[in-house]
PDB file of all heavy atoms in Angstrom:
ATOM      1  N   MET A1442       9.367  -4.420 -38.101  1.00  0.00           N
ATOM      2  CA  MET A1442       8.253  -3.517 -37.878  1.00  0.00           C
ATOM      3  C   MET A1442       8.481  -2.698 -36.622  1.00  0.00           C
ATOM      4  O   MET A1442       8.980  -3.193 -35.616  1.00  0.00           O
ATOM      5  CB  MET A1442       6.953  -4.312 -37.729  1.00  0.00           C
ATOM      6  CG  MET A1442       6.376  -4.819 -39.038  1.00  0.00           C
ATOM      7  SD  MET A1442       5.885  -3.479 -40.134  1.00  0.00           S
ATOM      8  CE  MET A1442       4.775  -2.562 -39.108  1.00  0.00           C
ATOM      9  N   PHE A1453       0.833 -10.661 -28.298  1.00  0.00           N
ATOM     10  CA  PHE A1453      -0.384 -10.367 -29.043  1.00  0.00           C
ATOM     11  C   PHE A1453      -1.140 -11.679 -29.178  1.00  0.00           C
ATOM     12  O   PHE A1453      -0.784 -12.544 -29.981  1.00  0.00           O
ATOM     13  CB  PHE A1453      -0.048  -9.761 -30.404  1.00  0.00           C
ATOM     14  CG  PHE A1453       0.687  -8.448 -30.310  1.00  0.00           C
ATOM     15  CD1 PHE A1453       2.055  -8.417 -30.105  1.00  0.00           C
ATOM     16  CD2 PHE A1453       0.003  -7.249 -30.391  1.00  0.00           C
ATOM     17  CE1 PHE A1453       2.736  -7.222 -29.996  1.00  0.00           C
ATOM     18  CE2 PHE A1453       0.671  -6.040 -30.286  1.00  0.00           C
ATOM     19  CZ  PHE A1453       2.045  -6.026 -30.080  1.00  0.00           C
ATOM     20  N   ASP A1455      -4.250 -12.379 -30.078  1.00  0.00           N
ATOM     21  CA  ASP A1455      -5.161 -12.583 -31.207  1.00  0.00           C
ATOM     22  C   ASP A1455      -4.396 -12.605 -32.524  1.00  0.00           C
ATOM     23  O   ASP A1455      -3.419 -11.876 -32.710  1.00  0.00           O
ATOM     24  CB  ASP A1455      -6.216 -11.474 -31.247  1.00  0.00           C
ATOM     25  CG  ASP A1455      -7.101 -11.487 -30.014  1.00  0.00           C
ATOM     26  OD1 ASP A1455      -7.320 -12.581 -29.466  1.00  0.00           O
ATOM     27  OD2 ASP A1455      -7.553 -10.393 -29.598  1.00  0.00           O
ATOM     28  N   THR A1456      -4.873 -13.450 -33.430  1.00  0.00           N
ATOM     29  CA  THR A1456      -4.339 -13.447 -34.797  1.00  0.00           C
ATOM     30  C   THR A1456      -4.856 -12.204 -35.513  1.00  0.00           C
ATOM     31  O   THR A1456      -6.037 -11.857 -35.409  1.00  0.00           O
ATOM     32  CB  THR A1456      -4.782 -14.712 -35.544  1.00  0.00           C
ATOM     33  OG1 THR A1456      -4.289 -15.857 -34.844  1.00  0.00           O
ATOM     34  CG2 THR A1456      -4.243 -14.720 -36.957  1.00  0.00           C
ATOM     35  N   TYR A1457      -3.994 -11.537 -36.232  1.00  0.00           N
ATOM     36  CA  TYR A1457      -4.391 -10.327 -36.951  1.00  0.00           C
ATOM     37  C   TYR A1457      -4.037 -10.463 -38.427  1.00  0.00           C
ATOM     38  O   TYR A1457      -3.207 -11.283 -38.821  1.00  0.00           O
ATOM     39  CB  TYR A1457      -3.725  -9.089 -36.352  1.00  0.00           C
ATOM     40  CG  TYR A1457      -2.220  -9.149 -36.315  1.00  0.00           C
ATOM     41  CD1 TYR A1457      -1.448  -8.660 -37.382  1.00  0.00           C
ATOM     42  CD2 TYR A1457      -1.557  -9.674 -35.209  1.00  0.00           C
ATOM     43  CE1 TYR A1457      -0.059  -8.708 -37.342  1.00  0.00           C
ATOM     44  CE2 TYR A1457      -0.181  -9.731 -35.164  1.00  0.00           C
ATOM     45  CZ  TYR A1457       0.565  -9.243 -36.235  1.00  0.00           C
ATOM     46  OH  TYR A1457       1.937  -9.299 -36.197  1.00  0.00           O
ATOM     47  N   LYS A1458      -4.691  -9.647 -39.247  1.00  0.00           N
ATOM     48  CA  LYS A1458      -4.487  -9.690 -40.691  1.00  0.00           C
ATOM     49  C   LYS A1458      -3.959  -8.348 -41.162  1.00  0.00           C
ATOM     50  O   LYS A1458      -4.360  -7.301 -40.665  1.00  0.00           O
ATOM     51  CB  LYS A1458      -5.790 -10.032 -41.413  1.00  0.00           C
ATOM     52  CG  LYS A1458      -6.290 -11.439 -41.108  1.00  0.00           C
ATOM     53  CD  LYS A1458      -7.620 -11.729 -41.768  1.00  0.00           C
ATOM     54  CE  LYS A1458      -8.080 -13.150 -41.425  1.00  0.00           C
ATOM     55  NZ  LYS A1458      -9.401 -13.459 -42.017  1.00  0.00           N
ATOM     56  N   THR A1459      -3.082  -8.410 -42.135  1.00  0.00           N
ATOM     57  CA  THR A1459      -2.474  -7.196 -42.687  1.00  0.00           C
ATOM     58  C   THR A1459      -2.080  -7.440 -44.135  1.00  0.00           C
ATOM     59  O   THR A1459      -1.801  -8.582 -44.532  1.00  0.00           O
ATOM     60  CB  THR A1459      -1.246  -6.778 -41.869  1.00  0.00           C
ATOM     61  OG1 THR A1459      -0.705  -5.566 -42.422  1.00  0.00           O
ATOM     62  CG2 THR A1459      -0.170  -7.846 -41.895  1.00  0.00           C
ATOM     63  N   GLY A1461       0.499  -7.361 -47.116  1.00  0.00           N
ATOM     64  CA  GLY A1461       1.939  -7.533 -47.169  1.00  0.00           C
ATOM     65  C   GLY A1461       2.347  -8.165 -48.479  1.00  0.00           C
ATOM     66  O   GLY A1461       1.587  -8.151 -49.463  1.00  0.00           O
ATOM     67  N   PHE A1462       3.539  -8.721 -48.516  1.00  0.00           N
ATOM     68  CA  PHE A1462       4.053  -9.402 -49.701  1.00  0.00           C
ATOM     69  C   PHE A1462       4.385 -10.853 -49.330  1.00  0.00           C
ATOM     70  O   PHE A1462       5.085 -11.105 -48.348  1.00  0.00           O
ATOM     71  CB  PHE A1462       5.302  -8.696 -50.233  1.00  0.00           C
ATOM     72  CG  PHE A1462       5.016  -7.367 -50.874  1.00  0.00           C
ATOM     73  CD1 PHE A1462       5.096  -6.195 -50.130  1.00  0.00           C
ATOM     74  CD2 PHE A1462       4.656  -7.287 -52.208  1.00  0.00           C
ATOM     75  CE1 PHE A1462       4.832  -4.966 -50.711  1.00  0.00           C
ATOM     76  CE2 PHE A1462       4.387  -6.066 -52.807  1.00  0.00           C
ATOM     77  CZ  PHE A1462       4.471  -4.896 -52.049  1.00  0.00           C
ATOM     78  N   GLN A1558      -1.996 -11.364 -45.127  1.00  0.00           N
ATOM     79  CA  GLN A1558      -1.331 -12.331 -44.265  1.00  0.00           C
ATOM     80  C   GLN A1558      -1.982 -12.369 -42.887  1.00  0.00           C
ATOM     81  O   GLN A1558      -2.287 -11.327 -42.305  1.00  0.00           O
ATOM     82  CB  GLN A1558       0.153 -11.990 -44.118  1.00  0.00           C
ATOM     83  CG  GLN A1558       0.919 -12.016 -45.430  1.00  0.00           C
ATOM     84  CD  GLN A1558       2.405 -12.101 -45.194  1.00  0.00           C
ATOM     85  OE1 GLN A1558       2.894 -13.047 -44.596  1.00  0.00           O
ATOM     86  NE2 GLN A1558       3.121 -11.109 -45.680  1.00  0.00           N
ATOM     87  N   SER A1559      -2.220 -13.578 -42.399  1.00  0.00           N
ATOM     88  CA  SER A1559      -2.679 -13.776 -41.028  1.00  0.00           C
ATOM     89  C   SER A1559      -1.454 -14.074 -40.176  1.00  0.00           C
ATOM     90  O   SER A1559      -0.693 -15.006 -40.478  1.00  0.00           O
ATOM     91  CB  SER A1559      -3.675 -14.938 -40.950  1.00  0.00           C
ATOM     92  OG  SER A1559      -4.832 -14.660 -41.702  1.00  0.00           O
ATOM     93  N   LYS A1560      -1.286 -13.312 -39.092  1.00  0.00           N
ATOM     94  CA  LYS A1560      -0.050 -13.418 -38.321  1.00  0.00           C
ATOM     95  C   LYS A1560      -0.323 -13.451 -36.825  1.00  0.00           C
ATOM     96  O   LYS A1560      -1.365 -13.002 -36.336  1.00  0.00           O
ATOM     97  CB  LYS A1560       0.886 -12.241 -38.636  1.00  0.00           C
ATOM     98  CG  LYS A1560       1.405 -12.242 -40.066  1.00  0.00           C
ATOM     99  CD  LYS A1560       2.570 -11.303 -40.225  1.00  0.00           C
ATOM    100  CE  LYS A1560       3.215 -11.450 -41.593  1.00  0.00           C
ATOM    101  NZ  LYS A1560       4.458 -10.704 -41.707  1.00  0.00           N
ATOM    102  N   ARG A1561       0.656 -13.999 -36.159  1.00  0.00           N
ATOM    103  CA  ARG A1561       0.750 -13.905 -34.705  1.00  0.00           C
ATOM    104  C   ARG A1561       2.074 -13.221 -34.388  1.00  0.00           C
ATOM    105  O   ARG A1561       3.028 -13.326 -35.158  1.00  0.00           O
ATOM    106  CB  ARG A1561       0.686 -15.278 -34.039  1.00  0.00           C
ATOM    107  CG  ARG A1561      -0.606 -16.035 -34.254  1.00  0.00           C
ATOM    108  CD  ARG A1561      -0.636 -17.300 -33.413  1.00  0.00           C
ATOM    109  NE  ARG A1561      -1.835 -18.077 -33.624  1.00  0.00           N
ATOM    110  CZ  ARG A1561      -1.933 -19.070 -34.505  1.00  0.00           C
ATOM    111  NH1 ARG A1561      -0.878 -19.404 -35.243  1.00  0.00           N
ATOM    112  NH2 ARG A1561      -3.056 -19.742 -34.645  1.00  0.00           N
ATOM    113  N   ALA A1562       2.113 -12.568 -33.230  1.00  0.00           N
ATOM    114  CA  ALA A1562       3.327 -11.820 -32.909  1.00  0.00           C
ATOM    115  C   ALA A1562       3.640 -11.917 -31.425  1.00  0.00           C
ATOM    116  O   ALA A1562       2.756 -12.072 -30.578  1.00  0.00           O
ATOM    117  CB  ALA A1562       3.192 -10.355 -33.309  1.00  0.00           C
ATOM    118  N   GLU A1571       7.295 -12.133 -35.764  1.00  0.00           N
ATOM    119  CA  GLU A1571       6.003 -12.397 -36.388  1.00  0.00           C
ATOM    120  C   GLU A1571       6.062 -13.737 -37.115  1.00  0.00           C
ATOM    121  O   GLU A1571       7.040 -14.038 -37.799  1.00  0.00           O
ATOM    122  CB  GLU A1571       5.636 -11.299 -37.390  1.00  0.00           C
ATOM    123  CG  GLU A1571       5.167 -10.016 -36.744  1.00  0.00           C
ATOM    124  CD  GLU A1571       4.692  -9.004 -37.770  1.00  0.00           C
ATOM    125  OE1 GLU A1571       5.444  -8.738 -38.738  1.00  0.00           O
ATOM    126  OE2 GLU A1571       3.577  -8.483 -37.625  1.00  0.00           O
ATOM    127  N   THR A1572       5.013 -14.527 -36.948  1.00  0.00           N
ATOM    128  CA  THR A1572       4.919 -15.814 -37.630  1.00  0.00           C
ATOM    129  C   THR A1572       3.595 -15.874 -38.367  1.00  0.00           C
ATOM    130  O   THR A1572       2.577 -15.324 -37.923  1.00  0.00           O
ATOM    131  CB  THR A1572       5.007 -16.983 -36.637  1.00  0.00           C
ATOM    132  OG1 THR A1572       3.979 -16.840 -35.645  1.00  0.00           O
ATOM    133  CG2 THR A1572       6.358 -17.011 -35.952  1.00  0.00           C
ATOM    134  N   ALA A1573       3.607 -16.553 -39.510  1.00  0.00           N
ATOM    135  CA  ALA A1573       2.400 -16.676 -40.319  1.00  0.00           C
ATOM    136  C   ALA A1573       1.468 -17.700 -39.689  1.00  0.00           C
ATOM    137  O   ALA A1573       1.855 -18.840 -39.429  1.00  0.00           O
ATOM    138  CB  ALA A1573       2.756 -17.083 -41.742  1.00  0.00           C
ATOM    139  N   ALA A1574       0.232 -17.281 -39.421  1.00  0.00           N
ATOM    140  CA  ALA A1574      -0.769 -18.194 -38.871  1.00  0.00           C
ATOM    141  C   ALA A1574      -1.489 -18.953 -39.972  1.00  0.00           C
ATOM    142  O   ALA A1574      -2.092 -19.996 -39.727  1.00  0.00           O
ATOM    143  CB  ALA A1574      -1.783 -17.419 -38.037  1.00  0.00           C
ATOM    144  N   ALA A1575      -1.424 -18.450 -41.208  1.00  0.00           N
ATOM    145  CA  ALA A1575      -2.068 -19.099 -42.352  1.00  0.00           C
ATOM    146  C   ALA A1575      -1.372 -18.601 -43.615  1.00  0.00           C
ATOM    147  O   ALA A1575      -0.762 -17.525 -43.620  1.00  0.00           O
ATOM    148  CB  ALA A1575      -3.558 -18.787 -42.389  1.00  0.00           C
ATOM    149  N   ASN A1708      10.061  -9.568 -46.893  1.00  0.00           N
ATOM    150  CA  ASN A1708       9.829  -9.009 -45.560  1.00  0.00           C
ATOM    151  C   ASN A1708      10.151  -7.523 -45.532  1.00  0.00           C
ATOM    152  O   ASN A1708       9.416  -6.725 -44.921  1.00  0.00           O
ATOM    153  CB  ASN A1708      10.687  -9.752 -44.542  1.00  0.00           C
ATOM    154  CG  ASN A1708      10.572  -9.164 -43.152  1.00  0.00           C
ATOM    155  OD1 ASN A1708       9.537  -9.267 -42.497  1.00  0.00           O
ATOM    156  ND2 ASN A1708      11.646  -8.517 -42.695  1.00  0.00           N
ATOM    157  N   GLU A1711       7.394  -5.606 -47.213  1.00  0.00           N
ATOM    158  CA  GLU A1711       6.177  -5.572 -46.396  1.00  0.00           C
ATOM    159  C   GLU A1711       6.317  -4.596 -45.237  1.00  0.00           C
ATOM    160  O   GLU A1711       5.390  -3.817 -44.953  1.00  0.00           O
ATOM    161  CB  GLU A1711       5.869  -6.969 -45.859  1.00  0.00           C
ATOM    162  CG  GLU A1711       4.671  -7.001 -44.928  1.00  0.00           C
ATOM    163  CD  GLU A1711       4.388  -8.384 -44.378  1.00  0.00           C
ATOM    164  OE1 GLU A1711       4.697  -9.368 -45.061  1.00  0.00           O
ATOM    165  OE2 GLU A1711       3.850  -8.467 -43.251  1.00  0.00           O
ATOM    166  N   ARG A1715       3.859  -1.436 -44.714  1.00  0.00           N
ATOM    167  CA  ARG A1715       2.976  -1.328 -43.553  1.00  0.00           C
ATOM    168  C   ARG A1715       3.233  -0.040 -42.780  1.00  0.00           C
ATOM    169  O   ARG A1715       2.310   0.532 -42.177  1.00  0.00           O
ATOM    170  CB  ARG A1715       3.155  -2.538 -42.646  1.00  0.00           C
ATOM    171  CG  ARG A1715       2.506  -3.792 -43.181  1.00  0.00           C
ATOM    172  CD  ARG A1715       2.958  -5.022 -42.436  1.00  0.00           C
ATOM    173  NE  ARG A1715       2.632  -4.984 -41.010  1.00  0.00           N
ATOM    174  CZ  ARG A1715       2.929  -5.958 -40.148  1.00  0.00           C
ATOM    175  NH1 ARG A1715       3.566  -7.036 -40.586  1.00  0.00           N
ATOM    176  NH2 ARG A1715       2.600  -5.842 -38.876  1.00  0.00           N
TER     177      ARG A1715
END
Side-chain angles (χ1 to χ4, degrees):
M1442 283 296 305
F1453 298 82
D1455 297 329
T1456 300
Y1457 57 91
K1458 294 177 180 178
T1459 182
F1462 289 93
Q1558 299 198 60
S1559 297
K1560 294 195 172 189
R1561 297 187 182 93
E1571 284 185 309
T1572 57
N1708 176 70
E1711 176 181 331
R1715 285 167 61 180

